Amino acid sequence: MKLPTLLSGLVAGVFALLPLVAVAQQPIVIKFSHVVAHDTPKGLAAEFFAKRAGELTKGKVKVEVYANSTLYKDKEEMEALQLGAVQMLAPSLAKFGPLGVKEFELFDLPYIFDNYTELHKVTQGPIGQSLLKKLEPKGVTGLAFWDNGFKSFSANTPIKMPADLKGKKLRIQSSKVLEEEIRALSALPQVMAFSEVYQALQTGVVDGTENPISNLYTQKMFEVQKHLALTEHGYLGYAVIANKKFWEGLPADVRGQLDAAMKESTAYANKIAKEQNDKDLEAVKKTGKTQVYALTPEERQAFKKALAPVHLKMESRIGKELLQSVYKETGFDPANP
Ligand code: LMR
C-alpha cells in the first residue's frame, strides 16, 4: 500500500471512531422528577443525591432534578417512570395504591407511628425491604425510604376536636386509607394532585387539607389557611424508585456507585427531615397568617379514638399479616389507641 493511501486510511479510521469516543464520554443522564419545592426534605435530598452521584461516578452519571411538578404532576410522573421518560422519582407512600401496590397504604393509617424511631423500625428494616421488592413486577426498582414528617390538619376555621372537621371538604393524596380517614371524621375527601392544592384552597374548591409542615410552608398554604392544628395524625414519607429496566441496564460499577450515593442520601434525608419541619413550623408562626394550635392530650386522644376504626376497615386491603408485623414493631394497638 502506498503511504498516502495508508495515511488517508488511518485518518478516515480515526474520524470514524470519533463519534464512538464522543458517545463514550457522554454522561448517563438520570431525570429525577418530584412535586415539592427545592427547600423541603425531599427536594434537598434529591439535590444531595445528584451531587454525590456525580462525584462517586466521577461524572459518568448526571442527575437532573426537576422540582415542584415542573416536569410531571403526581399521577403523570408515575406513568412517566414506567414508560422510561424519567428514570427516578420519590413519590409519597400514599401514591403507590393506584400503581396496584396497596400494601404501601399502611403508612397512611392514622397514628400508626408516634415518632421517627418507630417509623424507622419499619422503613429501615426487613418490612421496608420486602415492601420495596413488591414494586418489581410493576417495572419499578425500589431504592430507599426517605422521610418527610407527620401531617397536621389545616382549615379556615379553628380545629381542636374531630367534630370541627365535620362536613369539610378536605384535600387528600390518592390513597383509599386516607379517604377512609377523612370519612371517619364525617368530612368529605377530595383527591387532588399536589400541584393543584394551593389554588383549590384559595378558591374554596376545598376547605382544608393535611400536610407535614414543610409542604404547607413551602407551597405557601399559610396564605390561604387561617388555622393549623398540630394533630400529627399520620405520616408522610417517600419511596425512592427507579425504572427497573434502566437501573438493571446500568454498568455494574456505576450501579454500585449510585447505590452508595443513595445510601448517603438516605442518611442525609432522614437527618434533615425533622429539622426542616421544625424550622418551617417556626416560619409559619412568624408569618402571622395561620394560627397554630397545639392540641391538649385529651384532644389528641379524641382524634386517635375517632380515627382508630380506619385500621380495622382497611385491614383486608393492606393485609392482616403485614399489619400485625408492623404493630409488633411499633407497639400500636388499634383496639386500644
Ligand atoms: C402530597 O401530595 O401532599 C405529597 O405527596 C407531596 C409530596 O411529595 O410530599
Side-chain angles (χ1 to χ4, degrees):
M1 197 185 288
K2 279 197 234 143
L3 199 56
T5 320
L6 182 64
L7 263 181
S8 67
L10 267 177
V11 169
V14 167
F15 275 106
L17 277 176
L18 268 182
L20 276 184
V21 174
V23 166
Q25 284 174 344
Q26 288 285 327
I28 300 166
V29 173
I30 294 182
K31 288 192 174 138
F32 189 148
S33 170
H34 69 81
V35 300
V36 293
H38 153 77
D39 204 11
T40 53
K42 175 162 65 176
L44 294 171
E47 301 281 354
F48 184 97
F49 173 72
K51 181 167 170 285
R52 291 303 286 145
E55 287 166 0
L56 293 180
T57 63
K58 300 198 167 50
K60 279 191 209 146
V61 170
K62 184 170 185 300
V63 180
E64 295 173 355
V65 179
Y66 297 88
N68 242 333
S69 311
T70 43
L71 208 52
Y72 296 107
K73 300 199 287 189
D74 290 326
K75 190 168 160 285
E76 298 161 359
E77 71 170 15
M78 207 61 119
E79 286 160 10
L81 182 93
Q82 286 183 294
L83 291 171
V86 291
Q87 289 70 39
M88 284 180 74
L89 304 173
S92 96
L93 301 166
K95 291 173 187 167
F96 286 84
L99 192 68
V101 196
K102 299 172 193 154
E103 291 88 339
F104 276 65
E105 289 180 352
L106 81 88
F107 292 100
D108 303 330
L109 285 166
Y111 294 107
I112 190 161
F113 308 107
D114 261 333
N115 50 52
Y116 289 99
T117 309
E118 285 182 12
L119 165 79
H120 289 164
K121 287 188 190 161
V122 176
T123 53
Q124 310 304 320
I127 300 176
Q129 277 312 307
S130 74
L131 284 170
L132 292 179
K133 286 254 170 330
K134 291 193 190 294
L135 298 171
E136 282 181 13
K138 310 288 174 194
V140 171
T141 301
L143 299 171
F145 288 98
W146 285 358
D147 287 347
N148 188 340
F150 295 88
K151 294 174 295 179
S152 286
F153 283 117
S154 63
N156 280 322
T157 45
I159 307 160
K160 291 187 174 179
M161 291 292 276
D164 296 328
L165 290 168
K166 193 174 171 193
K168 298 233 180 281
K169 278 181 277 164
L170 301 177
R171 180 270 169 174
I172 51 162
Q173 308 168 80
S174 56
S175 152
K176 294 288 174 217
V177 170
L178 295 181
E179 276 185 45
E180 272 310 312
E181 169 201 276
I182 301 301
R183 289 209 181 92
L185 299 168
S186 306
L188 309 164
Q190 303 269 320
V191 173
M192 187 181 291
F194 186 62
S195 54
E196 290 160 16
V197 181
Y198 178 93
Q199 214 192 350
L201 290 169
Q202 190 183 35
T203 55
V205 168
V206 291
D207 304 308
T209 185
E210 53 165 24
N211 275 298
I213 311 301
S214 62
N215 280 354
L216 175 110
Y217 179 65
T218 54
Q219 296 296 320
K220 297 192 167 37
M221 293 183 205
F222 57 83
E223 292 177 350
V224 288
Q225 291 280 266
K226 292 200 178 77
H227 294 273
L228 168 68
L230 301 178
T231 46
E232 299 190 324
H233 58 276
Y235 172 71
L236 191 155
Y238 310 105
V240 190
I241 55 177
N243 176 291
K244 184 168 184 278
K245 211 164 145 202
F246 168 81
W247 197 258
E248 290 178 353
L250 288 168
D253 58 334
V254 169
R255 199 170 49 243
Q257 289 150 353
L258 291 179
D259 281 334
M262 184 51 62
K263 214 167 159 203
E264 286 182 27
S265 309
T266 301
Y268 171 79
N270 296 355
K271 179 179 162 293
I272 63 162
K274 184 172 183 314
E275 294 166 11
Q276 243 0 75
N277 277 292
D278 289 350
K279 182 166 90 52
D280 289 348
L281 177 59
E282 291 316 307
V284 171
K285 287 180 183 167
K286 238 171 130 182
T287 66
K289 297 194 170 174
T290 303
Q291 288 245 296
V292 179
Y293 181 71
L295 301 187
T296 64
E298 293 74 28
E299 288 160 351
R300 183 176 162 85
Q301 192 56 31
F303 269 97
K304 274 194 166 179
K305 225 175 135 204
L307 294 173
V310 178
H311 285 248
L312 198 59
K313 268 211 170 129
M314 291 288 110
E315 187 184 77
S316 61
R317 178 174 168 89
I318 295 167
K320 190 171 178 171
E321 225 173 281
L322 174 62
L323 273 184
Q324 293 304 331
S325 66
V326 174
Y327 295 148
K328 218 168 134 202
E329 290 286 358
T330 68
F332 184 80
D333 178 2
N336 191 13

